[in-house]
Amino acid sequence: VRRFVIIGQTALASGDFSLDDLASSSGRLDALLRCVRAALLVSHGLRREVLVYLILRGGPSAPRVVRIDGRTAKFLRPDERSLATLLKKTLAVGAGPELAEVRPGLSLCEGDLDKVLEDLGDGSCYVLDERGHDVRGQELPEDAVFFVGDHLGFDEATLTCLQDYRRLSVGPVSLHSDDVVTLLTNELDRRAG
Ligand SMILES: C[S@@+](CC[C@H](N)C(=O)[O-])C[C@H]1O[C@@H](n2cnc3c(N)ncnc32)[C@H](O)[C@@H]1O
């Protein structure tokens, strides 16, 4: 299973955002939701072999982790408003210390990167960074884990935590997170044939 970890430094960890003004009321959760769409949704379907973790570090309920599992997820739709509605409902419930399924395929817990690393178990980890090794020259296993920053990039503490992992680039230009997920996914699709 391919896994993406998207780290939202300001993304609200509660459902207290407005669907009509998502970008400014949610601490840029909209950017994370576009990553979810890029990682999990294809034309008329869902990628069953992909899992996405969102680390939400914004607001008084933070930090929290949402895990979206393509193998069991239901009701995932490509438009941002539907995804935001689904997240809002997921985040409305109380979170415990362990990931627990709140809606089909969507699990929630209190915690930060350490919780995600614990849940990931084994798997080759890569940090997406435009200054990294070109993805085109790299062999990537099926169960690779990709860490992607948000509009602010990665904070120092996160970089320290991920310092042992290989840096991967999808090109020389600093792109929006969802575009990075799309390009990487496309590269892997092409390899799979
Ligand atoms: C909008 S960028 C972050 C910009 C932020 N101001 C910075 O300087 O780090 C969001 C994330 O996408 C990833 N990213 C952006 N461009 C990339 C590229 N060309 N190759 C690989 N990852 C990239 C990185 O993980 C980055 O943290």
Side-chain angles (χ1 to χ4, degrees):
V1 176
R2 181 187 311 163
R3 289 160 290 174
F4 289 95
V5 182
I6 321 289
I7 303 177
Q9 297 203 52
T10 57
L12 264 201
S14 70
D16 302 329
F17 51 81
S18 159
L19 293 173
D20 293 325
D21 187 16
L22 186 62
S24 46
S25 69
S26 70
R28 299 304 316 273
L29 184 67
D30 61 313
L32 273 62
L33 295 178
R34 286 193 287 276
C35 291
V36 170
R37 188 197 59 74
L40 277 159
L41 294 169
V42 291
S43 179
H44 303 298
L46 187 60
R47 291 181 188 271
R48 292 289 171 197
E49 78 298 355
V50 176
L51 228 139
V52 179
Y53 293 85
L54 302 180
I55 298 183
L56 307 174
R57 291 179 171 165
S61 308
R64 280 168 138 192
V65 173
V66 174
R67 185 183 64 194
I68 307 170
D69 189 335
R71 293 167 296 190
T72 47
K74 286 186 183 156
F75 316 121
L76 280 193
R77 292 161 49 89
D79 68 286
E80 221 166 278
R81 195 182 173 91
S82 303
L83 285 175
T85 305
L86 192 60
L87 253 281
K88 198 175 172 65
K89 289 178 184 164
T90 303
L91 293 169
V93 306
E98 300 305 327
L99 276 165
E101 193 168 55
V102 174
R103 312 186 74 78
L106 273 83
S107 303
L108 175 70
C109 73
E110 286 176 343
D112 206 308
L113 187 55
D114 48 342
K115 205 31 106 181
V116 173
L117 292 173
E118 192 184 302
D119 196 63
L120 286 169
D122 291 337
S124 306
C125 295
Y126 302 89
V127 176
L128 272 294
D129 177 347
E130 68 267 21
R131 290 149 302 191
H133 302 275
D134 190 335
V135 66
R136 294 199 171 157
Q138 306 293 311
E139 281 210 15
L140 298 172
E142 285 289 315
D143 65 345
V145 181
F146 302 105
F147 292 88
V148 183
D150 65 358
H151 60 296
L152 300 174
F154 296 108
D155 59 292
E156 280 306 317
T158 299
L159 283 176
T160 305
C161 209
L162 304 178
Q163 66 187 354
D164 292 339
Y165 303 146
R166 197 167 185 78
R167 301 268 180 290
L168 266 194
S169 163
V170 295
V173 178
S174 177
L175 302 170
H176 291 297
S177 313
D178 55 322
D179 291 337
V180 173
V181 174
T182 299
L183 288 170
L184 189 53
T185 298
N186 179 255
E187 178 69 25
L188 296 168
D189 282 349
R190 285 169 174 272
R191 292 182 191 189

